[in-house]
Amino acid sequence: MGTSTSSGGAPSGVSFDPPWINGIALQIEPEVSVVAVPDAPSERARFKEARIHLSKYLRSGGEPRLKASVGHYVKHGLGGARRAVSRLRIPVAASVAIWTSLQRLVDRDDKDAQEWIDRILSADDKIEALEEELAKQVVPEGGSVDEESCRRSIAYAISELQREYPNVEVEQLHEDGIFFIIELFLAREIFNRYLFDIGQRLEQMKIADMPRCEKEIMRYIRSTLSVKMKTLRKKGAHRTKKEMMELMSNVLRETLEVFEEAAE
């Protein structure tokens, strides 16, 4: 499907959180970090129900089937909303790092950031330069699945910014633009994780209009997240990193709780 790095999903009985997560999250945002919940072995066949409902959705359509698949993915595949936030703490940390970097770009009063900001502002294609520099500032130079996913999600968010706001001025990126990028980034990270964990066998299904299905999945994830992001927007962009980390964690948890309800 939409990601070339999908897999058959993690087996049962293993840790929910790969051992490298903390290290990457702290590299992204060393000052603050998402508090990890106590780890526990995952349940047997934890992605089974999510795959069943997704298979039905891909064959026959129907938003309830899609919602059920995502709901079972969160509830059983990730161990519930609270544990899922812990598993997704790299995207949460990256969201805060994106917010920090974009604030520096707009304010232009941080001497340590001036070099990469100048590269963006002097580029012929500022949007392309923004995508490249933002990925460099946010994502460590590693090759893990999580790091590669973050890079793709940043690229997606910036491309959507340009598509929706074709006349956007990078040097005058307003608060709504910053939150737009963060929202699209985080929604895409949920999307990437979901498709990666569901497995390759779904890629082999002969679906006539797979791109449309992928767009519908992404639309559902983003629309649900967007409702919760409104709370964050109301609080404004001028927050400390610690406050933003807490707010982003809460937004993600509340979004995942909405997904989880569909599995009841």
Side-chain angles (χ1 to χ4, degrees), residues 40-248:
S42 58
E43 62 183 79
R44 184 174 179 272
R46 58 178 167 139
F47 297 120
K48 180 180 178 180
E49 289 297 320
R51 289 194 179 108
I52 289 172
H53 288 286
L54 181 58
S55 296
K56 291 178 179 178
Y57 163 73
L58 292 173
R59 289 194 178 99
S60 307
E63 190 174 72
R65 295 187 180 99
L66 172 58
K67 288 183 176 181
S69 175
V70 177
H72 281 287
Y73 171 69
V74 173
K75 184 174 183 178
H76 302 291
L78 297 181
R82 184 166 172 263
R83 179 171 292 284
V85 173
S86 179
R87 174 61 186 89
L88 296 170
R89 57 189 179 272
I90 289 176
V92 173
S95 297
V96 176
I98 290 170
W99 165 77
T100 301
S101 296
L102 293 177
Q103 286 287 0
R104 287 172 174 165
L105 173 62
V106 173
D107 296 339
R108 295 202 288 279
D109 59 0
D110 188 333
K111 292 181 180 179
D112 293 335
Q114 199 57 52
E115 185 176 340
W116 65 264
I117 290 174
D118 286 343
R119 286 197 295 269
I120 294 174
L121 299 182
S122 63
D124 293 331
D125 188 335
K126 292 183 176 63
I127 289 291
E128 183 179 333
L130 174 61
E131 176 190 321
E132 181 179 344
E133 293 297 333
L134 194 57
K136 288 180 180 178
Q137 293 303 310
V138 171
V139 188
E141 295 182 355
S144 72
V145 169
D146 295 87
E147 289 162 308
E148 290 297 330
S149 178
C150 281
R151 293 187 189 98
R152 293 197 309 273
S153 296
I154 288 173
Y156 175 82
I158 299 301
S159 68
E160 287 296 295
L161 175 73
Q162 186 175 36
R163 185 185 65 80
E164 194 152 330
Y165 303 100
N167 298 318
V168 64
E169 296 287 343
V170 168
E171 59 268 40
Q172 297 177 3
L173 195 64
H174 48 71
E175 189 173 289
D176 285 345
I178 293 175
F179 281 124
F180 178 91
I181 292 171
I182 292 173
E183 180 180 308
L184 265 293
F185 167 80
L186 192 54
R188 197 66 175 184
E189 278 296 281
I190 298 170
F191 173 88
N192 288 349
R193 188 76 250 164
Y194 170 68
L195 293 190
F196 178 84
D197 284 335
I198 289 302
Q200 289 181 346
R201 70 183 182 87
L202 291 179
E203 294 183 351
Q204 299 166 1
M205 294 175 63
K206 298 186 182 300
I207 306 301
D209 196 3
M210 187 67 79
R212 178 186 59 81
C213 292
E214 291 181 0
K215 286 181 181 179
E216 289 178 356
I217 294 169
M218 182 61 191
R219 188 181 302 119
Y220 168 56
I221 291 172
R222 185 196 170 184
S223 64
T224 306
L225 175 65
S226 185
V227 172
K228 302 303 177 182
M229 282 290 293
K230 288 179 181 178
T231 302
L232 182 60
R233 290 179 184 232
K234 288 178 181 177
K235 294 181 181 295
H238 293 284
R239 298 277 159 177
T240 66
K241 285 186 180 182
K242 185 176 181 180
E243 289 172 332
M244 282 299 293
M245 186 69 79
E246 183 177 352
L247 288 168
M248 289 306 306

Side-chain angles (χ1 to χ4, degrees), residues 17-32:
D17 298 347
W20 63 79
I21 286 185
N22 270 337
I24 296 174
L26 287 171
Q27 276 185 278
I28 293 172
E29 266 305 335
E31 295 180 32
V32 287

